[in-house]
Amino acid sequence: MGGGNDAGGVQVYLQLGQDYGMKLLWCLVLLFPILFFCQEMVVRLGAVSGVGHGKLIYSRFGKLWGTFSVGDLFIINAVTIVVEFIGVEQGLNFFGLSNGWAVLAAAILLFAVMAGGTYRYWERFLIFLVIANFVTFPMALFVHGNAGTSFAGVVPSLPGGLNATLLLVIVAVVGTTVEPWQMFFQQSNVVDKRITQRWLNYERLDTGIGVIIEVIGALVLMAAAAFGLAHTSAFGNFNDINTTAAALQHYVGHGVGDLVALAVIDGSLIGANLTAMTTTYTLGDVYPKMRHSLHDKPRQAPWFYGLYAVLIGVSAVVTLAWGNDLGVVINGVEALNGILLPSALIFLILLANDKPLLGPWANSAAHNWVVGVIAWIVTTFSLAPLVTTFYPNVTLTQCLYAFIVCAVIGVVFMAALLWYRSKRQQNSEPDPTENRRPKGMPRAEWREVLRQRRSAWVTPAVDTLGRPAMSMARRIGLLTLRGYIVFAVVIMVIKLVQVTTAH
């Protein structure tokens, strides 16, 4: 979760504060449950199945859907690693280091993270970076933030009215806080750390703490820009991280600009390492003969460490060739993350409901209601910038009506799906792996029965499981989702070209 506040995250949160004050705080509040519920499903899948996310998608949905899902991940990861280098470069530039030396220093540090060739060395290195980020938290005190103004931002609003730029920023917030690579990485890392169902509650606690750390870090950055630059000429004129850091250094002092630079360096190093590892982990899932564990030495897993080195090296070269004035590109990458998130989220929900895979650990009906609402919210917000791109004169009232209609459709669809599942279960034989409480059974008794079922559950080897039947409804749904993603990415690229040209 510490890798969520990387270069893209720092830029988006600073932009929120500098351009809109604390009026979009509701976005961060909304993202807390989204983050936790998404990552909890991933943790459960990894601990119970013992298999990485990429392999599960290939095994349960086939090569076609697996290639689409993993292909999306690889493309966005490649660009994200470059963005992380840009973040480190801008942060070190703030301390006077030239571009070449900044990129070289970042590459050396990222190679050093993996140099130990052991899981424990890597884990301690990353935990040190996460703890080091706490040093930046006092900047919220230096800018003398106002609690009343901050809490007022919890109430949803669209400052300045509805427009494509604002919605693009909101989608970027979603994309930088809940990123597809986090799902793939978390599950592979749970497997690599050899966490089983026995340790699942501890891993949930670990994930919850990580989510709190990420959201607090985002809040601190947002508040620093909102209160530190309020009533100055810089307010409402966000350009890039360095410009905002310099403005905070000038107007606030106390080294606030230095702390912003440290935050982007620290978060970008974590993000670059984890994003590159996500790619190597996932390739290892797809190609079982490729050893892909931090428990292996470099000579035992040459492809795992070698691919990581190639990704870091190529990203460093691209960063030097591309330049560092890429604020619009960073926002664009985070917006694309937000656009691709619904696809990753739908696959995650389907896997979390896979009874042959998870048995009594599969999602309960209540859990599905929550994640169903989350998926619908994420998809609706991802779709919003596309509407405003085609219809720039759409009014706020029209948009609110559209959101209400989407919400009603979502509730009706979810209720119909749950009714269908309930009818199907009534007409089927009793299932010893069922995780629904039978009618009339006291809750305390049911909790004990469920605990025993979960303790006894062992997931069969994934390769021995028959692939779930691809019903016509599921096939149409997945094809529609894929068509939406392709269409959304094309429109988002068009929008980014328009913004970049104007910029």
Side-chain angles (χ1 to χ4, degrees):
M1 294 294 96
N5 291 342
D6 54 1
V10 171
Q11 171 152 315
V12 170
Y13 302 137
L14 289 176
Q15 183 176 0
L16 285 182
Q18 187 170 343
D19 287 351
Y20 303 101
M22 300 300 290
K23 294 180 180 179
L24 292 177
L25 179 61
W26 60 271
C27 293
L28 298 185
V29 174
L30 182 67
L31 288 174
F32 181 88
I34 294 178
L35 260 175
F36 180 78
F37 276 99
C38 289
Q39 294 305 121
E40 189 279 334
M41 285 190 288
V42 170
V43 163
R44 190 157 25 101
L45 279 167
V48 176
S49 72
V51 175
H53 202 65
K55 183 172 181 179
L56 282 187
I57 292 177
Y58 264 83
S59 299
R60 307 305 286 159
F61 296 97
K63 291 183 179 180
L64 175 63
W65 301 109
T67 301
F68 271 127
S69 182
V70 173
D72 288 345
L73 178 77
F74 286 177
I75 292 171
I76 201 68
N77 277 5
V79 184
T80 300
I81 298 171
V82 175
V83 168
E84 308 298 15
F85 265 97
I86 294 170
V88 177
E89 182 185 42
Q90 288 192 349
L92 291 176
N93 282 166
F94 191 80
F95 294 110
L97 206 61
S98 66
N99 291 353
W101 285 110
V103 171
L104 179 62
I108 291 173
L109 282 172
L110 288 169
F111 285 130
V113 173
M114 306 288 282
T118 65
Y119 188 97
R120 187 171 293 273
Y121 174 87
W122 167 85
E123 184 179 51
R124 288 178 175 177
F125 201 120
L126 265 293
I127 289 177
F128 168 77
L129 291 179
V130 172
I131 294 174
N133 202 37
F134 294 171
V135 175
T136 66
F137 287 7
M139 75 173 86
L141 302 176
F142 297 150
V143 298
H144 306 292
N146 183 284
T149 303
S150 298
F151 285 121
V154 173
V155 179
S157 65
L158 296 174
L162 181 70
N163 57 73
T165 301
L166 176 60
L167 289 175
L168 191 64
V169 170
I170 293 175
V171 173
V173 175
V174 176
T176 193
T177 310
V178 189
E179 299 173 282
W181 68 258
Q182 290 177 324
M183 300 178 188
F184 283 82
F185 173 81
Q186 177 91 324
Q187 187 168 334
S188 293
N189 192 244
V190 163
V191 174
D192 201 10
K193 196 172 182 177
R194 299 167 183 172
I195 293 172
T196 61
Q197 329 172 162
R198 177 185 177 188
W199 308 103
L200 191 53
N201 284 335
Y202 293 99
E203 182 63 15
R204 284 171 172 155
L205 176 62
D206 186 27
T207 300
I209 293 171
V211 172
I212 292 172
I213 291 172
E214 180 173 351
V215 173
I216 291 176
L219 177 61
V220 166
L221 289 163
M222 185 177 176
F227 294 109
L229 300 178
H231 312 297
T232 71
S233 59
F235 189 82
N237 296 302
F238 180 83
N239 185 35
D240 58 34
I241 295 172
N242 273 0
T243 304
T244 299
L248 286 169
Q249 196 83 334
H250 173 72
Y251 290 111
V252 181
H254 301 293
V256 173
D258 296 331
L259 293 178
V260 169
L262 284 175
V264 71
I265 293 170
D266 190 76
S268 296
L269 287 172
I270 298 173
N273 173 254
L274 301 190
T275 307
M277 282 186 60
T278 300
T279 303
T280 55
Y281 266 145
T282 305
L283 270 178
D285 287 338
V286 175
Y287 300 105
K289 293 183 180 180
M290 171 182 158
R291 298 183 69 165
H292 55 292
S293 171
L294 287 164
H295 292 284
D296 295 327
K297 298 291 184 182
R299 67 177 180 276
Q300 297 171 313
W303 286 102
F304 178 71
Y305 289 94
L307 180 59
Y308 174 88
V310 169
L311 287 169
I312 295 301
V314 171
S315 299
V317 172
V318 171
T319 303
L320 287 174
W322 212 350
N324 66 346
D325 186 21
L326 289 173
V328 174
V329 173
I330 292 177
N331 268 359
V333 170
E334 303 311 330
L336 285 173
N337 265 319
I339 291 294
L340 295 174
L341 181 61
S343 176
L345 194 53
I346 294 301
F347 279 110
L348 174 59
I349 293 172
L350 290 174
L351 286 173
N353 280 279
D354 194 331
K355 287 291 183 65
L357 184 70
L358 295 182
W361 290 97
N363 279 1
S364 65
H367 204 142
N368 279 330
W369 270 105
V370 174
V371 298
V373 170
I374 288 173
W376 203 257
I377 289 173
V378 169
T379 304
T380 301
F381 273 106
S382 298
L383 187 62
L386 308 184
V387 175
T388 55
T389 297
F390 281 113
Y391 303 100
N393 296 322
V394 65
T395 65
L396 180 58
T397 302
Q398 291 171 330
C399 189
L400 289 175
Y401 284 146
F403 283 145
I404 291 171
V405 170
C406 287
V408 171
I409 293 174
V411 170
V412 171
F413 176 79
M414 193 71 175
L417 181 62
L418 291 177
W419 176 82
Y420 171 75
R421 288 187 62 185
S422 176
K423 283 292 184 183
R424 188 177 63 180
Q425 288 166 352
Q426 288 177 6
N427 297 328
S428 61
E429 294 296 325
D431 183 358
T433 67
E434 183 57 67
N435 59 352
R436 290 169 59 94
R437 180 168 64 95
K439 290 183 179 180
M441 180 179 287
R443 290 186 180 275
E445 181 182 348
W446 167 243
R447 282 196 293 268
E448 179 60 25
V449 170
L450 185 60
R451 187 191 65 79
Q452 293 176 0
R453 288 180 180 178
R454 287 177 171 175
S455 297
W457 176 258
V458 177
T459 300
V462 175
D463 295 333
T464 64
L465 291 174
R467 189 174 301 169
M470 186 63 75
S471 64
M472 183 60 67
R474 175 176 286 198
R475 192 182 302 276
I476 292 174
L478 289 175
L479 284 171
T480 302
L481 176 66
R482 184 52 52 187
Y484 155 75
I485 293 297
V486 172
F487 175 74
V489 168
V490 170
I491 298 302
M492 186 60 66
V493 170
I494 293 173
K495 182 63 184 176
L496 290 173
V497 170
Q498 294 173 348
V499 174
T500 304
T501 302
H503 181 74

